[in-house]
Amino acid sequence: MASFYDFALVCQALEQTQSRNQMVELVADFLSRLDAGEAAIAARFMVGQPLAPGAGERLQVSGSALWKVASAIVGGADDAEDIFAAAVDFGEAIETVLRRRPEDPSPTLSLAEVARRFDEIAAIEGRNSRRRKLGALGDLLRLSSALEGRYVAKILVHELRHGVSEGLMLEALARMAGRPADEVRRLHMAQGDVGRVTRILREGGASVSPMETVAADRPRALKPMLAQPARNVADAFAILGPHIALEHKLDGARVQIHCRSDAVRIFSRRMNDITLSLPEVVQATSALAHRGAILDGEVIAIDREGRPRAFQEVMRRFGRRREIDRLSAEQPVALYVFDLLGLNGELTIDLPYQERYAALGELAGPAGLALAGRIVPASADEGERFYEAALAAGFEGVMAKELSSRYTPGVRGSGWLKIKRADTLDLVIVAADWGYGRRKGWLSNYHLAARDEAQGSFAAVGKTFKGLTDEEFRDLTERLLALRRDEAHGTVFVKPEIVVEVAYSDIQRSPSYPCGMTLRFARIVGIRNDKSQEEADTLATVTERFERQVLRPA
Ligand code: AMP
């Protein structure tokens, strides 16, 4: 059985290696010495994923909780500040404190054991769940040697810092399996999880194809294809060429529906199984069960007359497992489909979009499914008119799709562009200030950041305490505290995970922000629980909007 200690040693070696090639070799060599199941766990852990995707964010172990548990094991540490000042990162601080035990436990943990314990911590729910989670974490740390404790901590706070990105891992997996890197990347696009990819490569040998693996056994979500922003329809033509379709952009939440004869399964954009929350969508698509279809679409909230309601309303239905009947009566939803990712148990993602769409059309009509409104415009002018009409009808904007493009799961591919009125940005909360007066006891002033693709980090672009209800403040406070990393002078710094949609009046120059810009009159219009931080808007988008308004004639 592979020991977690060996895993820790390899991670340590990776931290000391600069060369990408050597890192790929180290990882490939380590993984090939493990059996398929262990290799899958090691691959996930190495890219900082304690749980298999789809499990949701249920670990809820913050850095401060980890510190509390680790320092309690040695009877407390008064010199926490010194330890953190001397440590290169959080994992090293945990290692330092664990070294204070009279004897370092000899390593006994296997990779599978650590994975099992992470799953167990995630599964703890209900009464006293926080205390029970911390108890289980304490048990794990007590069993860990100091070096192992360092990596348990690093995995749990998603901060490995050894430079193994998902991209590097896929290269290493290709080397491990002796397969072309491109093929492994495609397999990953279809599977959406390095752990599963590792297992398939190890078990499937040379015969594996991404298509077969999805058709097999139980339904697995594919990562949804993402879109890049474009300024307007003319730009979409310039970027994608003349052969495009425009579709209404519905303001709802993304769903992927697997219709199989044994069951219909619905997955959220983050690939969580939300079938139980949306019985009417199961009902609406069950006619396609015998066709083995995989549909991509959007669920929107509607009122009793069938008119669309705000995005926040649809989120009330997602992920709920209780009182579904009451909720679906109170807040009905409607499904619109726009793509077909599989048919008769085969993936169709490699077919051109126009063929996928034609096949979707043939299925949707007889099954009574609604398609997003669409045209194939003959000119940019015609496209512009469709866009204006879409806005006037209350849609968020339009999606432009290149007719011959493949469906690229999880990739902000060049085939899809989103065009909407530039009045909101999806930003990540990176810190929050404790409130005062009426908001005392809540984290209520949120520091908002855009994704800085060049730096691989987040760049602060503004702050706001506007736009939320009391209940949302309370809920966000709790969630942010679970992501707490550090605190100073009334500001809590958090793991950048929560995405919010922010409206603003304009973007100003500002020397107080390192990027030199800030949003004026920022206001939160929605908490985007359906989006991960990788889907937040980029600093490049903020800059582009800033420049555009500067160029705008006064
Ligand atoms: P955004 O959330 O602004 O990044 O825009 C992309 C999202 O728009 C997708 O992930 C879908 O959830 C949603 N969407 C709405 N209508 C469509 C459509 N017709 N085609 C593709 N995506 C759509």
Side-chain angles (χ1 to χ4, degrees):
M1 226 173 350
S3 78
F4 187 68
Y5 190 73
D6 287 340
F7 169 84
L9 289 177
V10 174
C11 291
Q12 209 177 22
L14 286 166
E15 278 166 29
Q16 282 146 20
T17 313
Q18 298 296 329
S19 139
R20 184 179 170 93
N21 218 344
Q22 260 174 28
M23 290 173 73
V24 169
E25 211 167 295
L26 263 172
V27 176
D29 179 56
F30 177 63
L31 295 181
S32 53
R33 283 188 272 129
L34 310 180
D35 71 30
E38 294 167 335
I41 295 169
R44 261 203 284 116
F45 283 0
M46 263 184 200
V47 296
Q49 286 174 10
L51 306 177
E57 273 299 318
R58 291 178 296 122
L59 266 167
Q60 289 168 322
V61 174
S62 64
S64 54
L66 250 164
W67 174 253
K68 221 158 99 187
V69 172
S71 52
I73 290 177
V74 299
D78 300 337
D79 55 344
E81 265 183 42
D82 295 340
I83 297 180
F84 277 99
V88 291
D89 59 22
F90 184 76
E92 191 178 310
I94 296 286
E95 178 178 357
T96 307
V97 79
L98 289 178
R99 283 215 184 278
R100 295 189 175 166
R101 286 174 292 187
E103 216 175 304
D104 199 23
S106 41
T108 52
L109 291 166
S110 65
L111 272 163
E113 173 74 10
V114 176
R116 188 182 63 72
R117 284 172 182 263
F118 285 165
D119 288 344
E120 258 172 33
I121 296 173
I124 296 174
E125 275 180 18
R127 274 189 66 199
N128 293 329
S129 61
R130 194 173 149 70
R131 195 176 51 71
R132 283 156 51 221
K133 275 178 194 277
L134 297 189
L137 180 62
D139 293 344
L140 173 57
L141 287 180
R142 257 186 292 277
L143 284 173
S144 311
S145 64
L147 184 73
E148 289 172 308
R150 171 187 183 134
Y151 288 97
V152 164
K154 281 177 164 246
I155 295 167
L156 287 176
V157 299
H158 309 281
E159 201 177 65
L160 267 307
R161 286 188 158 202
H162 53 19
V164 180
S165 60
E166 216 165 62
L168 191 140
M169 176 56 75
L170 296 178
E171 257 179 68
L173 289 174
R175 185 160 320 178
M176 171 197 81
R179 312 291 294 265
D182 249 6
E183 190 185 304
V184 173
R185 273 194 284 271
R186 265 197 81 55
L187 182 59
H188 181 248
M189 279 184 198
Q191 297 291 331
D193 169 27
V194 291
R196 214 144 56 209
V197 170
T198 311
R199 196 184 261 280
I200 291 168
L201 288 170
R202 291 297 293 276
E203 287 174 348
S207 63
V208 63
S209 109
M211 309 301 140
E212 288 162 20
T213 55
V214 169
D217 59 40
R218 71 191 172 84
R220 301 187 192 290
L222 282 86
K223 285 190 171 183
M225 178 162 170
L226 304 174
Q228 308 249 36
R231 288 184 307 181
N232 50 40
V233 173
D235 276 7
F237 269 91
I239 297 166
L240 299 178
H243 306 296
I244 63 173
L246 296 177
E247 293 177 6
H248 286 153
K249 185 170 188 312
L250 300 139
D251 192 10
R254 187 89 173 254
V255 285
Q256 190 179 103
I257 306 159
H258 293 236
C259 311
R260 296 164 50 119
S261 47
D262 50 351
V264 171
R265 291 266 145 231
I266 310 171
F267 297 97
S268 70
R269 171 195 207 109
R270 302 184 81 172
M271 298 160 68
N272 291 321
D273 187 331
I274 49 162
T275 313
L276 292 178
S277 310
L278 300 172
E280 57 272 65
V281 176
V282 174
Q283 177 70 33
T285 50
S286 53
L288 294 178
H290 67 286
R291 304 299 310 269
I294 305 177
L295 307 167
D296 193 358
E298 191 90 348
V299 164
I300 61 167
I302 49 170
D303 64 16
R304 285 184 209 292
E305 278 71 50
R307 285 181 305 234
R309 298 188 67 198
F311 161 81
Q312 276 313 92
E313 300 300 325
V314 78
M315 287 322 286
R316 287 179 54 208
R317 295 287 313 275
F318 269 56
R320 299 290 282 263
R321 290 174 174 237
R322 278 189 229 139
E323 295 186 83
I324 302 296
D325 290 345
R326 181 178 62 80
L327 281 168
S328 61
E330 261 174 40
Q331 182 44 81
V333 295
L335 168 72
Y336 286 82
V337 291
F338 48 73
D339 215 321
L340 182 73
L341 316 187
L343 192 58
N344 303 322
E346 298 259 331
L347 283 188
T348 50
I349 57 176
D350 281 335
L351 295 178
Y353 156 68
Q354 73 200 92
E355 282 182 36
R356 299 196 309 272
Y357 192 86
L360 177 69
E362 279 169 27
L363 289 177
L369 288 177
L371 288 160
R374 174 185 190 262
I375 61 162
V376 176
S379 66
D381 272 355
E382 192 187 345
E384 194 59 48
R385 284 196 296 276
F386 181 77
Y387 172 62
E388 289 301 332
L391 291 181
F395 293 100
E396 212 192 346
V398 297
M399 302 287 293
K401 301 183 176 178
E402 208 263 319
L403 293 179
S404 64
S405 61
R406 293 200 303 190
Y407 190 94
T408 50
V411 177
R412 230 172 291 280
S414 46
W416 284 13
L417 296 174
K418 54 183 175 190
I419 307 162
K420 51 183 184 178
R421 279 265 145 82
D423 53 0
T424 67
L425 286 164
D426 289 336
L427 300 171
V428 179
I429 301 180
V430 289
D433 304 330
W434 285 111
Y436 46 87
R438 208 178 71 77
R439 290 192 298 273
K440 198 164 173 355
W442 297 339
L443 287 171
S444 57
N445 193 25
Y446 305 108
H447 301 216
L448 309 165
R451 215 155 37 83
D452 185 341
E453 282 185 309
Q455 300 293 325
S457 60
F458 289 91
V461 292
K463 289 184 200 174
T464 189
F465 52 82
K466 298 209 175 80
L468 297 180
T469 62
D470 288 3
E471 197 186 331
E472 286 168 328
F473 274 130
R474 251 179 245 123
D475 179 46
L476 267 187
T477 301
E478 209 170 288
R479 290 175 56 201
L480 288 167
L481 286 177
L483 299 172
R484 182 178 176 278
R485 272 185 163 157
D486 203 358
E487 184 163 350
H489 313 296
T491 300
V492 174
F493 298 90
V494 297
K495 268 196 271 174
E497 280 190 12
I498 299 178
V499 178
V500 285
E501 188 175 345
V502 178
Y504 58 93
S505 62
D506 53 67
I507 307 174
Q508 277 185 322
R509 269 187 215 293
S510 166
S512 342
Y513 286 83
C515 69
M517 299 171 291
T518 185
L519 307 183
R520 224 155 62 96
F521 298 119
R523 177 171 54 87
I524 296 178
V525 292
I527 303 170
R528 299 298 307 229
N529 292 335
D530 59 325
K531 291 200 169 180
S532 71
Q533 71 277 21
E534 290 115 49
E535 293 176 75
D537 278 309
T538 60
L539 190 56
T541 300
V542 179
T543 310
E544 200 255 330
R545 290 205 190 162
F546 171 69
E547 281 166 3
R548 205 175 348 148
Q549 69 182 15
V550 171
L551 294 176
R552 201 167 49 196

